[in-house]
Amino acid sequence: MTDIDIGISKENRTAISEGLKKLLADSYTLYLQTHNFHWNVTGLQFRELHLMFEEHYTELATAVDDIAERIRTLDVPAPGTYKEFAKLSSIKEVDGVPSSSEMVELLTKAHEQVIKTSREVLKVAQDADDESTAALVSDRMRIHEKTAWMLRATKK
């Protein structure tokens, strides 16, 4: 870290960045999982799910960039390898190709996990008066909550 003065101590920037790294890893893992399911979904809901998954992974592609750039803004290196993401992520990779209903269930749970990770980061950011990170993470939570709701609604 260099000596920057943005009103957030080095200690707080480090703590916030550690949480953001986990959020980045969860988001990137979810991105890969969603893209995989987009490519491999089959069944009666193929078109609906194929298009929905595309919307989701496209949104996630932008999100991972925003999260990584926030980490860099706090003057901390952002993780960027599968190895680092695998260590940091709370979302486990899926073996094989699940059924379309299993895909929806897995993605729902993954979005819910990202929400939980976001809540943890949000607390740290708020305690450090880091409004920029809090706003980013709050926006991410809202998007993942809505996405999880939409996925749950396809199961009814």
Side-chain angles (χ1 to χ4, degrees), residues 18-75:
E18 290 306 309
L20 285 172
K21 287 177 185 180
K22 291 177 184 176
L23 180 58
L24 177 61
D26 281 357
S27 300
Y28 200 86
T29 302
L30 178 55
Y31 164 82
L32 288 173
Q33 191 174 82
T34 305
H35 213 154
N36 175 26
F37 292 172
H38 164 78
W39 289 328
N40 291 298
V41 68
T42 60
L44 296 175
Q45 291 183 293
F46 166 78
R47 181 166 172 73
E48 175 187 351
L49 293 176
H50 182 75
L51 294 173
M52 180 190 293
F53 295 165
E54 182 175 11
E55 290 172 6
H56 294 175
Y57 78 70
T58 301
E59 192 282 327
L60 283 161
T62 301
V64 296
D65 195 54
D66 290 344
I67 297 164
E69 288 179 356
R70 183 63 194 159
I71 294 168
R72 292 300 301 136
T73 300
L74 295 171
D75 202 34

Side-chain angles (χ1 to χ4, degrees), residues 35-145:
H35 213 154
N36 175 26
F37 292 172
H38 164 78
W39 289 328
N40 291 298
V41 68
T42 60
L44 296 175
Q45 291 183 293
F46 166 78
R47 181 166 172 73
E48 175 187 351
L49 293 176
H50 182 75
L51 294 173
M52 180 190 293
F53 295 165
E54 182 175 11
E55 290 172 6
H56 294 175
Y57 78 70
T58 301
E59 192 282 327
L60 283 161
T62 301
V64 296
D65 195 54
D66 290 344
I67 297 164
E69 288 179 356
R70 183 63 194 159
I71 294 168
R72 292 300 301 136
T73 300
L74 295 171
D75 202 34
V76 174
T81 66
Y82 295 126
K83 185 177 181 179
E84 288 176 291
F85 290 151
K87 280 193 252 180
L88 292 166
S89 183
S90 304
I91 299 169
K92 301 303 172 210
E93 290 192 42
V94 176
D95 292 324
V97 178
S99 69
S100 61
S101 61
E102 290 171 314
M103 288 176 179
V104 169
E105 184 64 29
L106 288 163
L107 290 174
T108 302
K109 295 296 181 199
H111 280 278
E112 290 171 346
Q113 180 56 53
V114 175
I115 295 163
K116 290 185 260 185
T117 300
S118 296
R119 288 189 191 287
E120 293 172 13
V121 180
L122 183 60
K123 288 176 191 171
V124 176
Q126 288 171 331
D127 289 347
D129 292 324
D130 180 357
E131 186 61 37
S132 296
T133 298
L136 171 67
V137 173
S138 180
D139 287 347
R140 296 302 322 142
M141 284 174 49
R142 181 183 47 77
I143 290 165
H144 289 286
E145 287 169 347

